[in-house]
């Protein structure tokens, strides 16, 4: 009896399934309005768009679209705070950060989001059917951006490279695509500062070998990475490492022995004759400048549909109303007080007095209508990097260094000429080079990097205190959300 | 030879008799049939019948709705009279369970039934609004009085956090769409079903009953069965009602003089007194010199009229039954511009082709038109043009029109015109918005199915059903460029057109067999496929060329895409049920289902439930005991099982996506969503133990059940280490868990059953307790926002979901009129506007309280107890029905009260007239300082605004009169009943807001019982008649 029952049951089930006409393929629908990993790298155009997406991540207003430069400058002594607004960097400026502060959290999120985009693209390229040379170029771009991002994180969250006893306080190195749930991937300790630099250089070396020499002329020579951009970034990185011989080696690839200084291979970078070509002045009606001329090595572009975001761009912070919020104005006791910086110097034209305060108007337009591009690296920085490295490496008043210094100074101030004889010793020349950097790159996000790589103290300004290299606030705290989810990470001492 | 054959086969006999009830009255329409055949007839109005039956007929079966079935052996009798007893409701009632029916006595799961008569005449738009208080374990509340708004439905508490906690709605076996498909105008998709077409509603609550629906059953299952024709002569019914509806519970606000006085007092207290040039509030006069004193409620609310007509014709003979109905309803809501119209037509037919094969089908078309407005009522609590909010906040010393007759608007600030006030007023003019803006949602829905059944040999029945549910909807909005939300666009018209289309195909085999007349076995196996596509598209046209254009198709200069979505999902299932009973005393049942769903990477899941029941009262020892005179029925049952939930999850939930962007002027692609291939159903393990009893021959019946649901694998955003760089720094993961537990009690009694007077009553009572037991990694609290801004609700481990997280306040300091708050260390601090917090003890400066540091949890927000009490009285031709709905034990966050005490330019409730004015005043309204939005609870979420939400409501009253049968049959009708009914006539509560039932967040799981700038509920009175032909 039971057996008959059981057989009947089996027949019942079989019959119902057949009758059901089960449609298995409907169980696997593919979305029609979004791209999924399986088809996101399938055509050359999609791969090109993915690579642009990495740039897009780096260009986030919380990252190299604006705030990174601002944080680096307001830590320095050139800017005083006007608005006491916690949303626009007040705690960065007056060194009262904690692990919950918005700057800390949002910057960390944006930087690692960009790094993950690079890693996701690198993973996708492995199975992409494009030709090898093109794949390697894209890999070069991804690794260039990954290196730039890790470096940017290091300059704020990590101890400086010269502080060898504290080498363990680097940042988290992320080299794998993070695309799904993986509890183990959450718990990753900080790599050592030296390890992070090693990876940055490895990425940049690969980039140098694989990036295009020339992105076809036009804006892409500045808005997309090319071989000379990797070399230029390396000069900055080696300078942070105090490896001056390497700075010289790298810079020599794109800087000739004598003036006129122009890169011989790859994109023919040279100084623009007029600084106003790089940073167009405020005129009405507003014009966009040639931000992507020969002096621009790497620049972040914006359009009216692709903006840095409210209160993220340099224009918003440094322009007084109505073009910006005027959160910061120039410290009268800062570099603007330097006597050697003549009033006839073309760069003085950026410093505009409004209602008794001097504002930096290098990005004069309102980010909402005609947004100004944000330069990341210019040729003049390579020249000054080389100059400083030459002097420090040889410990003499190097003639080529003086030539380089003159090239930068005389482009804006033809009446000043530096001579070898005019410098008492190597240190005097170094000091002048450092002053030139402060004048030339005012507002471009290099001040904090320079102070920290030299072991300097952030001097007091207005109500903001001084911070020595041993001070807690010399480096930024690891954000609370990272520490809550990444239990392997160690906070910077003092926080 | 032939003659002999002929006579042998055609030998029939005639049996006659009379069927009466236990009072001796003749019973009409009783079905008398020959057992085992389809030969039968129905009794006449006086109870007599005459049946021609074959000579081999052995047994006659007498059955009638509401009566116990009786079987009588014919023997050689020619006349059989019988008296039928009222059926034992609890045991003989037929209950619809998934994919079949059972007798109530056989049901070992927990199923509640609501009969059609209860909801037929209630003046609502959708049947689900009429179910409050009618079944234990099912709490249905109306979130506000806006027409077309879906009610809040919770079966045994809240069953999910990120997904939907709304039960699965199955109509005639086809899982149906539910929810709101409208845009700004609400459109409850279930309102397309004509309530008069519903025969019964079963609610499957525990795992044993609902596991047959497997992965969608965690929040319970609502089975709707629509009417079919009944045996006997064709019946024609016409039901109609007409009535009016108004808002109730309106809160009094200040009039023009009071408003002007108190605002100016506030200015003085702030140190910035009115100066006649830049500051101050001043009344004005209209063109006739009368004081302008506007009651903004009058400008926004109205008395709405409604009517509803329903006609149906149905009938059946032994082979065929049919039902045709049509419905027209046109209801105006309590708010101006809020209307609901519906037309439906339905036809069903079932036909027994022969003894083996039968066929059936139904077709249901409905068109619903919802005319709405921006009420800000569900989800838009802080909308500045939300009509719910405007009468509460607008200054009464200005009117909707200027003295020259034009609209009173201030175009520079896009708010209401200033009148004579010098201080700025905020908020928009609702009259121009109601006149010029348009919001509507119209849908056409077709529900149709065709089914067939084949009786195979050896007791197996094969059944197949193919059904469709297609909804097309068009949501239209126009916002004028002259005032309000449309100004920034220069006038904008938005049209979104969408389609939800679903087909379902079910095949089942049912095997029923009895062995030795002791063992009864039933086996069901089946498969089901369900395929749904969702497609919607539309655009927002902006900057109109001329104020004349107020339709999408007019002339505009800009266009932006809106409302685009395209997706599909597929559900493939195998299910089965085995039921076994021994001697109709011991019952066992197992339900199981295997579901494969397309939105998950791990496609399949298995669900099931088992239950057992024991009808103790069938035991011999019980029947012979002396207490069986009193305790006539006793049944014990229990069940356990596991079901799932995926309602509300995106159709591509487990996928990772790449999304578009820009780099400068070039398009880019970037990783935008980290998917989770391990994402799967939320699961709910349900335990249910209950007993059913009957006293005094089931004159009183009742049921008590205890339930516990352990919900696991709740889908939550699991935070990731930011250094991973995952978009959003979170990945949807099955990670949380929650418990719901409670007791359900229901009791029914025929208190008085007399010839002329009957009184029957039933009461149900449910307790519920919810506790969140784990959240995402680290168990961080989730704060849930209302209207995207305020966060009074918290989801925290160890607390009931959506409890309130507020800063404790202790009234007002009589010495100085300042609001007192309590910090986390117990320090009492007081607030003086602007921005000054000092200690109460000594006046020294102190930090102010913040929600993150000092808030405490006040809960639960979900009612601890709720239920209903239904009374039916009948005296001769009169009938009275009263349904009471009650709920309580919870808190409600009265955010509206915060707004009504705000010291900015907003109007206030009249209670601010009791504000503190001098030392020694004891009041809970602080000193009135203009600009203070902290003391009242706008800037901070405070416990002052958390109130108890207990209430008792008379939900429905109806009084009807049925004309005597003799009178009616003279004019050729079979019955006429007139009635007058009221919906929400009385509410008893201490809650100070409009109504404690209000939910500004609708069916949201994480933020229940929040009242923020909502509209009140409506009271409806209607007059109707039911006519039977």
């Amino acid at each position: 009896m039971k057996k008959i029952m059981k057989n009947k049951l089996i027949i019942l089930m079989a019959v119902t399934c057949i009758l059901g006409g089960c449609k298995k393929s409907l169980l696997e629908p593919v979305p029609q309005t979004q791209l999924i990993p399986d088809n996101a790298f399938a055509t050359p155009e999609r791969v090109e768009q993915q690579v642009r997406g990495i740039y897009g991540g780096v260009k986030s207003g919380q990252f190299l679209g604006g705030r990174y430069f601002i944080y680096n400058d307001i830590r320095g002594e050139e800017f005083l705070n006007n608005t006491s607004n916690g949303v626009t960097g007040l705690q960065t400026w007056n060194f009262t950060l904690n692990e919950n502060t918005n700057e800390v959290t949002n910057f960390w999120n944006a930087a690692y989001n960009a790094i993950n985009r690079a890693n996701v693209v690198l993973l996708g390229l492995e199975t992409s059917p494009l030709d090898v040379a093109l794949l390697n170029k894209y890999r070069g771009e991804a690794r260039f951006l990954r290196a730039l991002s890790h470096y940017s994180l290091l300059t704020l969250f990590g101890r400086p490279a010269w502080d060898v006893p504290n080498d363990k306080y680097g940042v988290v190195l992320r080299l794998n695509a993070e695309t799904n749930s993986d509890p183990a991937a959450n718990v990753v300790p900080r790599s050592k500062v030296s390890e992070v630099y090693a990876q940055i250089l490895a990425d940049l070396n690969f980039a140098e070998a694989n990036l295009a020499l020339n992105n076809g002329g036009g804006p892409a020579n500045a808005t997309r990475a090319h071989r000379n951009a990797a070399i230029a970034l390396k000069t900055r990185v080696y300078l942070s490492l105090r490896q001056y011989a390497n700075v010289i080696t790298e810079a020599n690839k794109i800087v000739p022995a004598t003036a006129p200084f122009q890169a011989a291979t790859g994109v023919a970078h040279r100084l623009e004759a007029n600084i106003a070509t790089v940073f167009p002045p405020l005129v009405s009606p507003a014009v966009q400048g040639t931000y992507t001329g020969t002096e621009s090595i790497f620049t972040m572009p914006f359009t009216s549909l692709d903006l840095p975001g409210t209160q993220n761009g340099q224009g918003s912070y440094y322009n007084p109303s109505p073009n910006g919020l005027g959160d910061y104005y120039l410290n009268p006791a800062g570099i603007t007080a330097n006597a050697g910086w003549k009033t006839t110097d073309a760069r003085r034209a950026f410093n505009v007095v409004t209602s008794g305060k001097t504002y930096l108007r290098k990005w004069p337009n309102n980010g909402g209508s005609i947004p100004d591009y944000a330069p990341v690296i210019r040729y003049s920085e390579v020249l000054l990097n080389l100059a400083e490295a030459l002097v420090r490496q040889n410990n003499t008043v190097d003639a080529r260094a003086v030539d380089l210094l003159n090239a930068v100074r005389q482009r804006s101030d033809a009446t000043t000429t530096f001579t070898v004889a005019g410098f008492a010793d190597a240190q005097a020349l170094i000091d002048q080079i450092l002053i030139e950097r402060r004048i030339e790159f005012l507002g471009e996000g290099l001040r904090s990097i320079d102070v920290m790589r030299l072991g300097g103290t952030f001097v007091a300004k207005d109500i903001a205190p001084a911070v020595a290299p041993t001070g807690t606030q010399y480096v930024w705290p690891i954000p609370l959300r990272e520490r809550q989810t990444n239990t392997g990470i160690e906070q910077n001492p003092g926080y | 030879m032939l003659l002999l054959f002929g006579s042998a086969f055609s030998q029939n006999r005639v049996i006659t008799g009379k069927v009466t009830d236990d009072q001796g009255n003749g019973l009409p329409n009783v079905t008398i049939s020959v057992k085992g055949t389809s030969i039968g007839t129905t009794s006449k109005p006086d109870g007599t019948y005459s049946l021609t039956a074959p000579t081999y007929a052995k047994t006659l079966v007498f059955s009638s709705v509401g009566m116990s079935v009786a079987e009588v052996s014919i023997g050689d009798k020619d006349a059989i009279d019988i008296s039928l007893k009222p059926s034992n409701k609890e045991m003989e009632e037929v209950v619809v369970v998934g994919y079949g029916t059972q007798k109530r006595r056989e049901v070992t799961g927990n199923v509640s039934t609501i009969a059609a008569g209860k909801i037929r005449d209630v003046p609502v738009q959708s049947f689900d609004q009429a179910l409050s208080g009618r079944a234990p374990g099912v709490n249905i509340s109306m979130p506000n009085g806006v027409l077309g708004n879906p009610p809040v439905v919770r079966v045994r508490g809240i069953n999910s956090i990120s997904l939907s906690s709304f039960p699965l709605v199955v109509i005639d076996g086809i899982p149906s769409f539910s929810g709101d498909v409208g845009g700004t105008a609400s459109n409850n998709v279930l309102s397309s079903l004509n309530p008069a077409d519903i025969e019964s509603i079963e609610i499957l609550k525990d795992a044993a009953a609902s596991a047959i629906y497997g992965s969608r059953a965690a929040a319970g299952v609502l089975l709707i069965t629509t009417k079919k024709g009944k045996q006997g002569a064709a019946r024609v019914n016409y039901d109609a009602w007409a009535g009016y509806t108004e808002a109730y519970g309106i809160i009094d606000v200040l009039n023009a003089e009071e408003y002007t006085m108190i605002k100016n007092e506030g200015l003085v207290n702030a140190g910035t007194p009115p100066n006649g040039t830049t500051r101050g509030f001043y009344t004005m006069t209209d063109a006739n010199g009368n004081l302008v004193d506007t009651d903004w409620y009058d400008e926004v609310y109205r008395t709405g009229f409604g009517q509803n007509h329903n006609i149906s014709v149905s009938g059946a003979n032994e082979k065929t039954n049919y039902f045709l109905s049509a419905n027209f309803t046109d209801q105006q809501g309590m708010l101006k511009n809020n209307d609901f119209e519906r037309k439906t037509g339905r036809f069903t037919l079932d036909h027994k082709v022969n003894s083996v094969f039968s066929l059936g089908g139904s077709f249901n078309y409905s068109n619903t038109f919802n005319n709405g407005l921006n009420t800000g009522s569900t989800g838009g609590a802080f909308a500045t043009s939300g009509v719910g909010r405007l009468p509460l906040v607008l200054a009464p010393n200005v009117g909707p029109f200027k003295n020259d007759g034009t609209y009173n608007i201030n175009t520079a600030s896009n708010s209401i015109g200033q009148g004579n006030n010098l201080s700025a007023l905020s908020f928009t003019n609702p009259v121009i918005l109601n006149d010029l803006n348009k919001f509507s949602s119209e849908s056409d829905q077709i529900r149709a199915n065709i089914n067939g059944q084949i009786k195979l040999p050896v007791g197996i029945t094969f059944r197949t059903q193919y059904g469709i549910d297609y909804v097309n909807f068009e949501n239209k909005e126009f916002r004028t460029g002259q005032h309000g939300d449309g100004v920034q666009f220069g006038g904008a018209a938005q049209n979104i057109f969408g389609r939800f289309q679903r087909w379902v195909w079910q095949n089942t085999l049912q095997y029923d067999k009895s062995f030795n007349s002791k063992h009864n076995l039933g086996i069901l196996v089946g498969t089901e496929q369900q395929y749904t596509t969702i497609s919607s598209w539309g655009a927002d046209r902006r900057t109109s060329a001329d104020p004349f254009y107020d339709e999408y198709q007019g002339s505009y200069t800009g266009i932006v895409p809106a409302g685009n979505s395209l997706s599909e999902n597929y559900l493939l299932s195998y299910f089965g049920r085995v039921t076994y009973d021994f001697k109709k005393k011991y019952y066992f049942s197992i339900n199981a289902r295997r579901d494969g769903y397309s939105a998950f990477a791990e496609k399949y899941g298995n669900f099931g439930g088992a239950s057992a029941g024991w009808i103790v009262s069938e035991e011999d020892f019980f029947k012979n005991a002396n207490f069986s005179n009193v305790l006539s029925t006793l049944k014990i049952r229990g069940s356990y099982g596991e079901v799932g939930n995926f309602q509300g999850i995106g159709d591509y939930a487990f996928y990772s996506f790449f999304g578009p962007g820009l780099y400068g002027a070039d398009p880019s692609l970037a990783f935008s969503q980290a998917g989770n291939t391990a994402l799967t159903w939320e699961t709910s393990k349900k335990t249910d133990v209950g007993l059913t009893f009957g006293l005094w021959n089931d004159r009183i019946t009742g049921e008590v059940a205890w339930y516990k649901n352990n919900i696991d694998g709740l889908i939550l955003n699991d935070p990731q280490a930011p250094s991973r760089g995952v978009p959003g720094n979170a990945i949807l993961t099955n990670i949380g868990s929650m418990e719901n537990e409670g007791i359900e009690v229901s009791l029914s009694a025929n208190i008085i059953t007399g010839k002329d007077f009957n009184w029957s009553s039933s009461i149900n009572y449910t307790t519920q307790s919810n506790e969140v037991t784990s959240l995402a990694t680290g168990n961080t609290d989730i704060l849930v926002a209302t209207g995207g801004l305020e966060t009074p609700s918290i989801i925290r481990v160890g607390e009931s979901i959506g409890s309130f997280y507020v800063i404790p306040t202790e009234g007002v300091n009589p010495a100085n009129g300042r609001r007192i708050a309590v910090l986390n260390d117990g320090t009492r601090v007081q607030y003086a506007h602007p921005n000054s917090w000092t200690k109460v003890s000594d006046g020294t400066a102190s930090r102010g309280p913040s929600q993150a540091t000092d808030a405490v949890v006040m809960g639960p927000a979900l009612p601890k107890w709720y239920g209903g009490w239904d009374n039916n009285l009948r005296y001769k031709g009169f009938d009275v029905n009263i349904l009471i709905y009650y709920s309580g034990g919870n808190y409600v966050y009265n955010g509206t009260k915060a707004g009504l005490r705000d010291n900015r330019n907003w109007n206030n409730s009249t209670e601010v007239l009791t504000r503190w004015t001098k030392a020694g005043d004891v009041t809970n309204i602080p000193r009135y300082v203009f600009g203070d939005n902290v003391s009242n609870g706008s800037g901070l979420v405070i416990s002052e605004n958390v109130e108890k939400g207990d209430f008792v409501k008379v939900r429905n009253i109806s009084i009807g009169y049925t004309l005597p049968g003799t009178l009616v049959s003279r004019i050729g009708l079979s019955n006429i009943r007139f009635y007058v009914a009221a919906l929400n006539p009385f509410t008893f509560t201490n809650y100070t807001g409009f109504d404690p039932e209000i939910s500004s967040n609708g069916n949201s799981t994480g933020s229940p019982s929040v009242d923020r700038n909502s509209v009140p509920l409506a009271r409806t009175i209607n007059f109707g008649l039911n006519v039977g032909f």
Side-chain angles (χ1 to χ4, degrees), chain B residues 216-244:
Chain B
R216 296 166 289 177
V221 182
L222 248 56
L223 294 181
I224 319 281
T225 311
T226 54
K227 289 182 176 159
K228 298 240 157 45
K230 294 210 167 62
Q231 279 265 6
R235 284 163 222 241
V236 177
N237 281 83
Y238 171 71
D239 304 299
W241 56 258
Y244 67 92

Side-chain angles (χ1 to χ4, degrees), chain B residues 106-186:
Chain B
E106 299 167 348
V107 173
T108 46
N110 193 325
V111 179
S112 294
T113 305
I114 299 174
K118 302 285 179 193
I119 58 178
R120 179 188 57 186
D121 297 319
V122 181
V124 290
Q125 301 80 53
S126 176
F127 71 89
D128 44 348
Q129 294 169 291
L131 303 177
S132 297
R134 298 210 182 267
V138 182
N139 192 2
I140 296 183
S141 56
M142 298 183 163
N144 53 52
V146 176
L147 296 186
N149 226 287
V152 178
V153 179
R154 300 200 176 112
V155 176
R156 294 185 167 176
I158 288 184
N159 292 293
S160 182
I161 295 180
S162 305
L163 300 187
S164 166
S165 186
F166 200 89
L168 177 68
V169 178
V170 177
I171 301 179
D172 288 337
I174 309 286
S176 169
F177 296 114
S178 59
D180 186 346
V181 295
T184 303
S186 301

Side-chain angles (χ1 to χ4, degrees), chain A residues 20 29 52 178 180 223 306 482, chain B residues 509 529 655 663-664 667 723-724:
Chain A
R52 287 189 207 135
E178 305 288 348
N180 51 28
T223 61
D306 180 30
E482 179 77 25
Chain B
L509 285 170
Q529 300 173 65
Y655 277 106
Y663 178 57
S723 62
R724 288 191 81 200

